[in-house]
C-alpha cells in the first residue's frame, strides 16, 4: 500500500481525490500496489464529503508521518507551497505538483534537492493541464535537438478569445464564465496578463535547453488590449488572434522567448485550437513538427496528469525519474527586441488615405487590411519582417507624421 497526502482541495485537489477514488482498481493495477490518500490539507472544512475524515489543517502531521511516500501539492501560489514542497523533499518524500508558479520560480532548486535525495519531483500538470508535454519532451523526443516550441498554453485566455471571436461575447462575460468553469487562476490577472503562459513556456524552455529560464527574463504581453476591431482585421488577414508562448534557439546559442497575442493563420494547426484547449508545437531536428493537443485546464483533465505522476512515483519508489535542469546560465536569453517579426498595425490619421500614405512612406511595402465600418481615419496593415528595434523606430516615425498607433499585434508564421 502506498500512502499519499494531498495539499489543497480546490478545483485540482478535489479532482485528484475523485480520480483516485473512482479509478482505484485500474490505478493500483498500473502502479503495482494500492494508492491511498491518508491526508488532505486545506484551510477550509469539508464536513459533507464521504472522505471528510481525511482532512487536516496541520502540515506537520503529514511531514512527520513516515507512511507518506508521496505528497501532491495543488494549493497554488509560491508560499507556503514552496516551503511545504522543499520540506517534503528534504524529508525524503516524492512530490507531484500542478503549480507552474512554483516550478517556474524554484524548479532548478527543487529538482536539485530531489536528485540529491534520489526522489521524484514531477509536474506534468503544470503545463498543458491534461495534455502530456513534460514527459514527451523528456522521453519520447529525447533523441532530437529541439530548436523551437510554440503554443497556446493558457486555457482561460484561449476560451475568452474564442468566445469573443465566435459569439462576440464581451471580455468580462467570457472571463467570468472561465472562472465559473474552474479554468482561471485564483487571481485571473495571471491568465489575462500572460503570466501563466509565461511560467509555462519558461518551464518548457528550462526542460528543453537544460538551464533554468526565469519568468522575468521572458517578454510577456497579455490579451487585455485586444479589441473586436483587431479580431475583425485578423479575420480579414485569414486568421485568428491567439496568445502564443514561444521559445526558439538561435545560431548564437541564445534563446528568444516571449509570450504575446499573435495573428495565427486559420490554415495552421494552432489556428484551430479553440475554447479551453491547448496546442503545443515542438520542432525537433529528427521528428520535424510534433503538435500536442488537449484540454489545457479544468478539474478532471488536470487531475488526470497529476495522478499519472503519482502512479509514476509509486512505481519508482527507489529510483529518481528523468527530469532535471541546471540553474540559469548568464546571457542565455537574448533581448527580445533583436528578434524579427511582422507586425499588424492599426492606426489613425486625419483620414484613411493620409494614414496609408504615411505608413507607405515609413514602411515601404505593406499588406493593407480592411474591415466593415472602420473608425474615421482608421488604417490597418501588416508590416514587412524586421527586428523589434526597427519596428519601434518606424512606429515613432509614423507618429511624427501625425498617425497615432491604436494597436500592434505580432504576426506568426506557425
Ligand atoms: P483552487 O484555488 O481551486 O484550490 C486551491 C486549494 O488550496 C483551495 O481549496 C485553498 O483553500 C487551498 N489552500 C490554499 N492555500 C492553502 C494553505 N496554505 N493551506 C491549506 N490549503 C490551502 O486552485 P486550483 O485547484 O485551480 O489550482 C491549484 C494549482 O494547480 C494552482 O497552482 C494552479 O495554477 C494549478 N493548475 C490549475 C488548473 C486548473 O484548471 N484549475 C490546471 C493546471 C494547473 P481556500 O480556497 O480556502 O483558500
Ligand atoms: N489558468 C490556467 C489556464 C490553468 O487557464 O490555462 C491551467 O494551467
Amino acid at each position: 500500500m502506498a500512502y499519499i497526502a494531498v495539499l489543497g482541495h480546490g478545483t485540482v485537489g478535489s479532482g485528484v481525490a475523485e480520480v483516485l477514488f473512482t479509478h482505484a482498481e485500474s490505478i493500483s493495477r498500473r502502479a503495482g500496489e494500492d494508492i491511498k490518500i491518508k491526508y488532505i490539507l486545506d484551510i477550509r472544512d469539508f464536513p459533507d464529503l464521504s472522505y471528510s475524515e481525511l482532512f487536516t489543517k496541520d502540515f506537520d502531521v503529514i511531514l512527520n508521518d513516515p507512511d507518506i511516500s508521496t505528497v501532491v501539492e495543488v494549493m497554488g501560489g509560491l508560499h507556503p507551497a514552496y516551503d511545504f514542497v522543499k520540506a517534503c523533499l528534504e524529508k525524503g518524500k516524492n512530490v507531484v505538483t500542478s503549480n507552474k508558479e512554483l516550478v517556474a520560480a524554484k524548479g532548478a532548486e527543487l529538482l536539485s534537492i530531489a536528485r540529491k535525495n534520489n526522489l521524484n519531483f514531477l509536474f506534468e500538470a503544470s503545463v498543458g493541464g491534461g495534455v502530456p508535454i513534460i514527459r514527451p519532451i523528456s522521453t519520447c523526443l529525447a533523441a532530437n535537438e529541439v530548436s523551437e516550441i510554440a503554443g497556446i498554453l493558457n486555457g482561460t485566455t484561449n476560451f475568452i478569445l474564442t468566445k469573443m471571436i465566435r459569439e462576440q461575447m464581451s471580455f468580462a462575460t467570457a472571463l467570468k464564465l472561465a472562472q465559473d468553469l474552474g479554468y482561471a487562476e485564483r487571481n485571473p490577472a495571471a491568465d489575462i496578463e500572460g503570466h501563466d503562459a509565461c511560467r509555462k513556456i519558461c518551464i518548457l524552455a528550462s526542460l528543453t535547453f537544460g538551464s533554468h529560464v526565469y519568468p522575468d527574463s521572458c517578454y510577456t504581453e497579455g490579451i487585455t488590449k485586444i479589441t473586436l476591431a483587431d479580431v475583425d482585421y485578423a479575420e480579414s488577414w485569414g486568421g485568428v488572434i491567439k496568445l502564443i508562448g514561444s521559445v526558439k534557439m538561435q545560431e548564437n546559442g541564445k534563446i528568444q522567448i516571449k509570450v504575446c497575442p499573435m495573428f495565427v493563420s486559420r490554415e495552421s494547426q494552432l489556428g484551430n485550437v479553440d475554447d479551453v484547449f491547448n496546442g503545443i508545437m515542438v520542432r525537433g531536428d529528427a521528428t520535424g513538427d510534433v503538435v500536442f493537443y488537449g484540454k489545457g485546464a479544468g478539474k478532471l483533465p488536470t487531475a488526470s496528469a497529476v495522478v499519472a505522476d503519482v502512479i509514476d512515483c509509486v512505481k519508482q519508489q527507489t529510483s529518481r525519474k528523468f527530469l532535471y535542469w541546471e540553474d540559469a546560465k548568464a546571457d542565455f536569453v537574448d533581448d527580445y527586441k533583436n528578434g524579427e517579426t511582422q507586425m499588424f498595425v492599426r492606426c489613425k490619421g486625419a483620414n484613411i488615405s493620409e494614414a496609408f500614405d504615411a505608413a507607405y512612406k515609413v514602411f515601404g511595402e505593406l499588406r493593407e487590411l480592411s474591415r466593415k465600418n472602420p473608425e474615421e481615419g482608421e488604417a490597418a496593415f501588416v508590416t514587412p519582417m524586421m527586428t523589434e528595434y526597427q519596428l519601434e523606430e518606424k512606429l515613432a516615425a509614423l507618429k511624427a507624421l501625425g498617425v497615432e498607433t491604436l494597436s500592434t499585434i505580432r504576426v506568426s508564421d506557425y
Side-chain angles (χ1 to χ4, degrees):
M1 176 78 75
Y3 289 102
I4 70 164
V6 179
L7 313 182
H9 190 264
T11 304
V12 182
S14 61
V16 168
E18 184 177 329
V19 169
L20 282 166
F21 290 132
T22 54
H23 299 166
E25 203 182 309
S26 58
I27 286 171
S28 69
R29 195 165 7 96
R30 285 172 195 142
E33 59 184 306
D34 289 347
I35 299 178
K36 190 170 181 330
I37 302 177
K38 188 165 177 184
Y39 306 105
I40 301 177
L41 180 87
D42 204 284
I43 300 165
R44 282 177 291 156
D45 293 314
F46 295 85
D48 300 327
L49 293 176
S50 59
Y51 51 92
S52 55
E53 76 285 357
L54 301 181
F55 282 84
T56 177
K57 291 187 168 57
D58 187 354
F59 171 68
D60 286 340
V61 169
I62 296 168
L63 186 66
N64 295 319
D65 185 336
D67 278 355
I68 301 294
S69 55
T70 299
V71 174
V72 175
E73 185 280 303
V74 283
M75 299 185 309
L78 254 194
H79 295 287
Y82 164 66
D83 315 272
F84 288 178
V85 166
K86 190 173 171 184
C88 288
L89 290 170
E90 284 173 340
K91 197 84 175 179
K93 299 179 193 304
N94 299 300
V95 174
V96 171
T97 185
S98 58
N99 185 341
K100 45 269 154 119
E101 186 175 359
L102 174 68
V103 181
K106 303 286 183 183
E109 180 192 352
L110 296 171
L111 284 166
S112 159
I113 300 171
R115 179 149 95 161
K116 200 172 79 208
N117 294 342
N118 204 28
L119 294 163
N120 288 307
F121 174 55
L122 303 181
F123 41 85
E124 182 61 63
S126 68
V127 183
V131 185
I133 182 68
I134 301 285
R135 210 175 259 89
I137 286 183
S138 45
T139 56
C140 319
L141 296 174
N144 283 262
E145 285 297 326
V146 171
S147 57
E148 188 169 357
I149 300 176
I152 295 162
L153 298 166
N154 182 269
T156 300
T157 45
N158 206 38
F159 179 85
I160 293 171
L161 290 170
T162 305
K163 291 285 175 199
M164 285 174 74
I165 293 164
R166 283 221 202 117
E167 299 170 29
Q168 308 282 299
M169 191 182 274
S170 77
F171 187 97
T173 309
L175 171 59
K176 171 77 174 56
L177 204 50
Q179 287 178 295
D180 292 346
L181 289 164
Y183 300 156
E185 295 302 300
R186 177 161 286 236
N187 177 356
D191 297 291
I192 62 180
E193 300 290 358
H195 305 305
D196 180 74
C198 164
R199 290 164 186 152
K200 290 166 174 167
I201 195 67
C202 285
I203 293 171
L204 295 182
S206 305
L207 185 67
T208 304
F209 301 115
S211 161
H212 196 117
V213 179
Y214 288 98
D216 61 3
S217 61
C218 172
Y219 172 77
T220 302
E221 195 182 306
I223 63 162
T224 49
K225 293 188 201 134
I226 306 250
T227 63
L228 289 173
D230 299 323
V231 167
D232 287 347
Y233 281 118
E235 198 181 337
S236 84
W237 173 81
V240 283
I241 301 172
K242 297 286 182 194
L243 184 67
I244 301 286
S246 64
V247 60
K248 188 174 188 173
M249 176 55 80
Q250 304 175 122
E251 280 177 6
N252 63 6
K254 296 184 185 193
I255 57 167
Q256 273 286 335
I257 183 165
K258 60 177 175 279
V259 170
C260 57
M262 294 189 106
F263 276 20
V264 179
S265 167
R266 264 288 181 207
E267 308 280 296
S268 81
Q269 278 174 299
L270 293 186
N272 290 288
V273 174
D274 289 329
D275 291 305
V276 73
F277 285 81
N278 283 189
I280 307 162
M281 184 277 291
V282 182
R283 188 160 287 166
D285 59 347
T287 54
D289 293 356
V290 182
V291 178
F292 298 87
Y293 171 82
K295 284 195 175 152
K299 176 174 164 168
L300 293 178
T302 310
S304 146
V306 172
V307 174
D309 276 351
V310 171
I311 294 172
D312 254 358
C313 286
V314 170
K315 271 167 46 181
Q316 307 190 31
Q317 289 286 10
T318 54
S319 69
R320 194 180 54 81
K321 199 124 168 99
F322 31 77
L323 303 181
Y324 191 69
W325 61 72
E326 305 281 341
D327 206 350
K329 275 196 301 214
D331 284 338
F332 186 51
V333 179
D334 199 2
D335 178 354
Y336 81 95
K337 288 187 184 173
N338 288 328
E340 290 198 325
T341 188
Q342 283 185 280
M343 192 72 94
F344 158 76
V345 179
R346 184 164 64 90
C347 57
K348 192 172 175 169
N351 59 58
I352 184 166
S353 61
E354 277 188 23
F356 270 124
D357 283 352
Y360 276 106
K361 208 173 275 173
V362 169
F363 287 98
E365 52 182 283
L366 302 172
R367 175 169 165 195
E368 290 185 27
L369 298 178
S370 61
R371 67 167 177 134
K372 278 191 203 143
N373 308 319
E375 278 179 42
E376 183 65 35
E378 182 185 86
F381 55 87
V382 172
T383 71
M385 186 75 101
M386 61 189 73
T387 68
E388 302 244 3
Y389 275 115
Q390 288 168 326
L391 269 163
E392 213 172 61
E393 278 172 19
K394 291 194 183 286
L395 290 175
L398 196 61
K399 190 173 177 193
L401 292 174
V403 177
E404 182 197 356
T405 298
L406 301 174
S407 59
T408 54
I409 299 176
R410 291 168 184 80
V411 175
S412 81
D413 54 5
Y414 306 125

